[in-house]
């Protein structure tokens, strides 16, 4: 999350640790600054060229504006307010600063860029998968389907539908090494460590000795041919592994093996149903009038 206040801007991680960052967020009237505005989003790294990478914070939800909670507003309204209340004032002030011979503030010196995350109509999933995602300058592991009228749901949102490319289904384990050199994988089960018996992990090329990862959270994908978990990366942003229920859901997703073709076929059937077809027409008209599109976003 990103908390905007008159005392500064603060990144808030999963463990609710705050880190102050040098960012500027003027309000619409341009004479005041945001105070206790709370954003939800994610940090990505865009590869601009082989020699240049750039951090970017993508805002995908807005929880409060200047001390006023908007968590109960429909998602479509919150998404629209991100641009109107947060992003546009920054753009307008930056344009004015760029024309100033000695600008009082340098946006180009901020530690990362900020923009709103894109969402699309359910009917555009095919185009997003085949045209948009392949052109992204950062990695994407699948899709998230966001309810158009949903209020903001903290922690786990059971109504959120996620789809990942089969090879990107993953679980975050706690990795431990015993005194005898034996390797162990743990999850959490009701707040306690749970040993995952008969589960092995493999570290491929580019990784250090397994013992160097002892006590760390590692994200792993499943290799069904070798029946082994394969370490993808160390989750430096996490201090606890996934819950056992999350593991069960991931394993079900792997077993179900919902491919891209299956996903697109199901969506093509869904959008022809009267209730969806009518809603898509309505939201398409709203989009042409400058209102935001609903339903789906690409996950990074």
């Amino acid at each position: 999350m990103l908390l905007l206040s008159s005392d500064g801007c603060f990144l808030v991680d999963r463990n609710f640790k705050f880190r102050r960052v040098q960012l500027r967020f003027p309000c619409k009237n341009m004479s005041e600054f945001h105070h206790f505005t709370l954003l939800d989003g994610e940090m990505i790294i865009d590869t601009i060229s082989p020699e240049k990478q750039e951090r970017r914070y993508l805002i995908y939800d807005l929880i409060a504006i200047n001390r006023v909670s908007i968590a109960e507003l429909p998602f479509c309204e919150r998404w629209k307010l991100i641009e109107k209340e947060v992003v546009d004032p920054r753009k307008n002030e930056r344009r004015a600063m760029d024309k100033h011979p000695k600008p009082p503030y340098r946006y180009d010196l901020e530690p990362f860029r900020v923009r709103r995350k894109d969402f699309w109509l359910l009917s555009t999933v095919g185009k997003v998968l085949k045209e948009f995602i392949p052109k992204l300058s950062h990695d994407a592991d699948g899709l998230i389907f966001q309810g158009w009228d949903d209020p903001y749901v903290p922690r786990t949102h059971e109504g959120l539908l996620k789809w990942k490319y089969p090879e990107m289904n993953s679980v975050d384990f706690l990795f431990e090494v015993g005194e005898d050199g034996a390797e162990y994988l743990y999850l959490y089960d009701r707040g306690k460590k749970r040993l995952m018996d008969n589960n092995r992990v493999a570290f491929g090329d580019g990784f250090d000795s397994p013992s160097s990862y002892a006590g760390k959270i590692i994200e792993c994908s499943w290799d069904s041919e070798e029946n082994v978990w394969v370490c993808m990366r160390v989750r430096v942003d996490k201090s606890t592994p996934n819950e056992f229920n999350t593991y069960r859901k991931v394993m079900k997703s792997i077993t179900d093996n919902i491919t891209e073709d299956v996903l697109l076929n199901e969506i093509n059937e869904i959008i022809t149903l009267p209730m969806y077809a009518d809603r898509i027409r309505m939201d398409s008209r709203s989009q042409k009038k400058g209102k935001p599109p609903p339903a789906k976003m690409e996950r990074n």
Side-chain angles (χ1 to χ4, degrees):
M1 291 184 171
L2 185 59
L3 175 65
L4 318 179
S5 80
S6 58
D7 298 317
C9 299
F10 300 86
L11 285 171
V12 188
D13 67 14
R14 296 170 183 269
N15 300 312
F16 279 89
K17 292 182 179 179
F18 288 68
R19 189 174 81 178
R20 187 170 183 170
V21 289
Q22 180 58 52
L23 296 169
R24 182 180 176 101
F25 285 89
C27 293
K28 284 189 304 181
N29 59 20
M30 306 297 284
S31 62
E32 298 177 339
F33 292 90
H34 280 273
H35 185 51
F36 290 136
T37 292
L38 185 59
L39 312 173
D40 200 350
E42 59 188 341
M43 190 74 72
I44 57 98
I45 299 178
D46 277 331
T47 300
I48 310 302
S49 69
E51 298 79 25
K52 183 180 180 181
Q53 290 185 319
E54 187 175 83
R55 290 185 182 275
R56 185 169 298 179
Y57 183 78
L58 303 181
I59 310 168
Y60 52 67
D61 217 327
L62 178 58
I63 306 165
I65 303 174
N66 294 318
R67 296 180 178 269
V68 179
S69 172
I70 60 169
E72 294 302 318
L73 289 180
F75 170 74
C76 58
E77 295 186 27
R78 301 196 308 275
W79 191 78
K80 180 172 63 176
L81 288 170
I82 294 172
E83 196 79 4
K84 182 179 178 181
E85 299 284 344
V86 178
V87 176
D88 280 349
R90 274 176 57 88
K91 289 180 180 177
N92 294 336
E93 186 183 66
R94 180 168 187 169
R95 280 194 290 265
M97 294 279 191
D98 288 343
K99 297 176 182 177
H100 200 287
K102 293 183 178 180
Y105 184 80
R106 293 277 302 276
Y107 274 95
D108 59 310
L109 297 181
E110 290 183 336
F112 51 85
R113 303 188 70 174
V114 179
R115 73 168 177 84
R116 183 177 64 173
K117 191 175 179 72
D118 293 327
F119 284 69
W120 293 272
L121 291 165
L122 188 63
S123 55
T124 64
V125 172
K127 187 174 182 179
V128 170
L129 286 172
K130 298 182 184 300
E131 298 180 22
F132 179 79
I133 290 181
K135 295 178 182 178
L136 281 174
S137 54
H138 55 270
D139 293 333
D141 58 12
L143 306 172
I144 292 182
F145 296 87
Q146 166 72 51
W148 184 225
D149 299 316
D150 284 355
Y152 181 81
V153 179
R155 302 179 69 87
T156 301
H157 185 356
E158 297 296 342
L160 210 62
L161 178 61
K162 298 182 180 181
W163 176 85
K164 289 188 176 185
Y165 296 102
E167 67 276 12
M168 297 301 293
N169 279 300
S170 62
V171 175
D172 298 331
F173 293 101
L174 170 61
F175 179 69
E176 295 282 10
V177 178
E179 294 182 359
D180 58 354
E183 300 174 0
Y184 303 97
L185 293 175
Y186 291 91
L187 294 173
Y188 264 21
D189 191 359
R190 299 178 183 177
K192 297 182 180 179
K193 286 169 58 176
R194 174 169 176 165
L195 176 63
M196 301 302 293
D197 291 321
N198 302 318
N199 280 259
R200 299 184 300 115
V201 62
F203 294 88
D205 296 338
F207 285 91
D208 297 329
S209 168
S211 60
S212 64
Y213 301 106
K216 297 182 179 179
I217 307 299
I218 58 174
E219 181 179 359
C220 303
S221 60
W222 178 248
D223 185 333
S224 57
E225 293 184 0
E226 299 294 332
N227 288 323
V228 64
W229 291 99
V230 179
C231 182
M232 302 167 65
R233 59 173 176 148
V234 177
R235 293 298 302 266
V236 295
D237 59 322
K238 296 186 68 174
S239 59
T240 57
N242 281 148
E243 290 286 339
F244 183 70
N245 281 339
T246 300
Y247 163 83
R248 292 174 61 183
K249 292 177 182 178
V250 171
M251 293 307 298
K252 185 177 186 307
S253 178
I254 293 172
T255 303
D256 289 343
N257 191 28
I258 300 176
T259 64
E260 185 175 319
D261 288 340
V262 172
L263 178 71
L264 291 175
N265 287 337
E266 290 293 326
I267 289 175
N268 287 336
E269 290 185 15
I270 290 172
I271 61 177
T272 60
L273 297 174
M275 64 178 293
Y276 286 95
D278 291 344
R279 187 61 187 267
I280 286 173
R281 282 195 295 271
M282 179 182 69
D283 291 327
S284 295
R285 289 195 297 269
S286 296
Q287 187 175 351
K288 290 178 181 178
K289 295 178 181 178
K291 296 181 180 179
K296 191 202 75 64
M297 72 175 179
E298 167 271 332
R299 174 124 177 120
N300 299 283

